[in-house]
């Protein structure tokens, strides 16, 4: 969308509204026209559909009719309040004739960042307890066989599976039963019977699949359970261990009715322990594996930031300004995160422009927190945005992996 917005802005700016005037000249003459036109073009981009290709590319196609553009310009010109230099009102038909088309069309293109694409999920085969490295490509299998002992691989798999189930328990406890009630509210005291039932349920959760990284000795395990099955189990625990809690039981019954078809999933990661690296896995690969294994304590957290903007004539402009301010503050929050080695993410980046740009892009697309009213009584706006931090960690790992032009196992370096 950013690419489409930039291309659309360039194309529209070059259009002629009359024999002697361009949109660019009109925008330069009246700043209010420039601001209003920018918001209008952004709305066109936001309304356009996005097409995603299997190779990770995305295309956003925007078509803006000259009639619609001319109408918007006519609306904006009076707002400029320039009585001394009146402008000729743009006309859609004339603009189509002058520019040789009745619409402006642009395509915005982008590819998903390689750093944000995890390895392919190897699904758990039917009848098996889990996926295995044997399902991976020959290159991935050879990489693991050359650089990790079999025991090291198994230890990483077991730890990743355990972390996945620990994370799944957190995910399930945060599921809403009602707008004012979550699963954690009905589980009772620590060590109580319902929590024990919950622990047994999570321990038995099936693995959906595994991911084996092709360039660092890191394995990811994904577990998943149908939400309605969990709610059914929860209702049974409540009836068995808390028969008097009719309020909780009714909440579970409502959740069963309203959440059919949903799936709760969680991912756990673990690296091969250093003492189980094979002889070839020294230097760069050893350091990369250490970074992959030393997971930051914020990996599964969500960062938030609030932006503000003063009141103005156009509420859309105010809201957009507040979101930009929130994104900038979120970016600063993310850069201040502590990473292994007792340093901040900003210092870890070490001037890597691509890495820093990717972080900025993540913050710019952070979603506003739902159910918060953005506007105050005076017309000012406050917007709170939230960003899950796991993609930040993936960017961090990718940043380190690209530092060396050739890994040890390819060069044969000691």
């Amino acid at each position: 969308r950013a690419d489409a917005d930039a291309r659309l802005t360039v194309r529209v700016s070059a259009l002629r509204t009359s024999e002697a005037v361009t949109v660019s000249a009109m925008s330069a003459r009246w700043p209010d026209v420039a601001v209003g036109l920018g918001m209008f073009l952004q709305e066109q981009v936001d309304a356009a559909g996005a097409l995603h290709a299997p190779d990770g590319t995305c295309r956003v196609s925007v078509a803006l009719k000259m009639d619609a553009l001319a109408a918007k310009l006519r609306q904006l010109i009076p707002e400029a309040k320039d009585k001394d230099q009146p402008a000729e009102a743009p006309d859609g038909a004339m603009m189509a004739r002058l520019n040789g088309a009745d619409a402006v069309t642009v395509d915005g293109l982008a590819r998903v960042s390689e750093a944000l694409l995890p390895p392919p999920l190897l699904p758990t085969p039917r009848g098996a307890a889990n996926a295995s490295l044997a399902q991976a490509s020959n290159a991935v299998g050879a990489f693991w066989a050359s650089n990790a002992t079999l025991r090291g691989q198994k230890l990483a798999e077991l730890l990743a599976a355990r972390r996945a189930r620990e994370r799944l328990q957190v995910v399930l406890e945060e599921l809403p039963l009602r707008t004012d009630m979550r699963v954690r509210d009905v589980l009772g005291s620590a060590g109580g019977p319902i929590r024990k039932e919950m622990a047994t349920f999570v321990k038995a959760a099936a693995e959906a699949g595994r991911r084996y990284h092709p360039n660092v000795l890191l394995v990811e395990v994904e577990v998943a359970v149908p939400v309605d099955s969990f709610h059914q189990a929860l209702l049974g625990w409540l009836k068995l261990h808390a028969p008097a809690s009719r309020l909780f039981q009714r909440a579970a019954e409502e959740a069963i009715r309203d959440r059919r078809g949903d799936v709760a999933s969680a991912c756990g990661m673990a690296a091969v322990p250093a003492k189980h690296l094979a002889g070839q896995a020294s230097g760069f690969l050893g350091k990369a594996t250490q970074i992959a294994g030393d997971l930051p304590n914020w990996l599964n957290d969500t960062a938030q930031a609030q932006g503000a903007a003063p009141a103005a004539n156009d509420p859309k402009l105010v809201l957009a300004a507040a979101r930009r301010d929130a994104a900038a503050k979120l970016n600063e929050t993310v850069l201040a995160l502590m990473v292994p080695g007792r340093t901040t993410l900003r210092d870890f980046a070490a001037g890597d422009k691509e890495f820093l740009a990717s972080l900025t892009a993540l913050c710019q697309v952070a979603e506003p927190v739902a159910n918060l009213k953005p506007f105050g009584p005076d017309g000012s706006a406050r917007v709170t945005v939230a960003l899950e931090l796991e993609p930040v960690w993936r960017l961090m790992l990718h940043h380190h992996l690209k530092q060396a032009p050739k890994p040890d196992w390819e060069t044969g370096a000691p």
Side-chain angles (χ1 to χ4, degrees), residues 9-376:
T9 300
V10 171
R11 289 284 303 279
V12 168
S13 296
L15 293 176
R16 295 164 64 190
T17 60
S18 68
E19 293 288 353
V21 179
T22 63
V23 173
S24 177
M26 188 177 293
S27 298
R29 179 176 173 184
W30 294 300
D32 285 354
V33 170
V35 173
L37 181 60
M39 289 297 300
F40 174 72
L41 297 182
Q42 183 65 63
E43 289 172 1
Q44 310 310 304
V45 174
D46 290 344
L51 300 175
H52 296 272
D55 65 353
T57 56
C58 175
R59 180 188 300 270
V60 174
S61 299
V62 184
L64 175 59
K65 295 285 188 181
M66 290 293 181
D67 286 343
L69 176 59
K72 185 62 180 180
L73 290 172
R74 289 196 299 271
Q75 174 191 346
L76 292 171
I77 289 174
E79 295 178 4
K81 299 177 182 178
D82 191 342
K83 298 179 181 180
D84 297 330
Q85 301 182 41
E88 181 179 345
D91 175 75
M94 178 179 291
M95 288 183 65
R97 179 179 62 80
L98 290 172
N99 297 286
D102 61 359
V104 179
T105 59
V106 297
D107 284 343
L109 300 172
R111 181 181 295 274
V112 176
S113 170
E114 179 185 350
L116 298 177
L117 290 175
L121 182 71
L122 305 177
T124 301
R126 183 181 298 275
N130 52 261
S132 69
L133 183 58
Q135 296 170 240
S137 67
N138 292 337
V140 173
F143 166 71
W144 276 76
S146 298
N147 296 293
T149 65
L150 182 59
R151 178 170 174 77
Q153 174 194 323
K154 297 302 181 185
L155 287 173
E157 292 167 344
L158 288 172
L159 180 54
R162 190 186 78 191
R163 287 173 171 169
R165 289 183 170 84
E166 290 173 351
R167 181 60 187 161
L168 180 64
Q169 175 140 351
V170 174
V171 170
L172 292 175
E173 290 185 5
E174 290 299 315
L175 289 177
L177 295 176
R178 291 178 172 175
T179 55
D180 59 343
M181 186 185 301
R182 296 186 179 275
V183 168
R184 64 170 182 265
D185 300 323
V186 308
L187 295 178
S189 60
I194 298 179
R195 288 191 178 273
K196 289 181 179 179
E197 296 274 18
M198 175 85 160
T200 301
F201 179 89
V202 170
K203 188 176 181 180
E207 284 193 19
R210 294 180 174 182
R211 297 182 177 93
Y212 295 86
H213 284 243
N215 52 2
V216 64
L217 297 170
L218 177 73
V219 61
E220 302 183 27
V221 172
E222 189 169 307
V223 294
V225 295
V227 172
D228 50 357
S229 296
F230 169 68
H231 284 150
Q232 290 280 6
L234 178 63
L235 179 59
W237 305 335
L238 290 168
K239 289 181 176 179
L240 178 63
H241 300 295
S245 302
R246 288 297 304 154
L247 175 63
F248 292 167
Q249 292 177 35
R250 284 196 297 271
E253 290 168 351
E254 292 175 11
I256 292 171
R257 181 194 65 205
D258 298 337
R259 299 291 300 278
R260 289 176 181 171
D262 290 357
V263 174
S265 62
C267 179
M269 308 176 191
V272 173
K275 67 180 181 180
H276 291 287
L277 298 178
Q280 293 176 262
S282 60
F284 169 77
L285 179 57
K287 179 63 175 177
T289 301
Q290 179 185 347
I291 290 177
D294 193 4
L295 300 176
N297 56 12
W298 45 260
L299 176 64
N300 295 313
D301 292 347
T302 298
Q304 292 190 357
Q306 186 182 82
N313 292 333
D314 191 336
K316 290 182 179 179
L317 291 176
V318 177
L319 193 60
R323 286 198 63 171
R324 287 195 299 271
D325 186 45
K329 290 177 178 176
L330 180 63
N331 197 33
E332 289 301 312
T333 298
V334 168
L335 289 172
L337 291 171
M338 298 301 296
V339 300
R342 299 182 179 274
T343 186
T344 65
L345 197 58
R346 186 193 304 274
D347 294 335
F348 184 84
D352 184 337
K353 292 183 179 179
E354 179 184 352
F355 179 66
L356 294 172
S358 296
L359 286 179
T360 299
L362 276 180
C363 295
Q364 289 173 339
V365 298
E367 292 291 332
V369 176
N371 302 320
L372 295 179
K373 295 182 178 179
F375 290 103

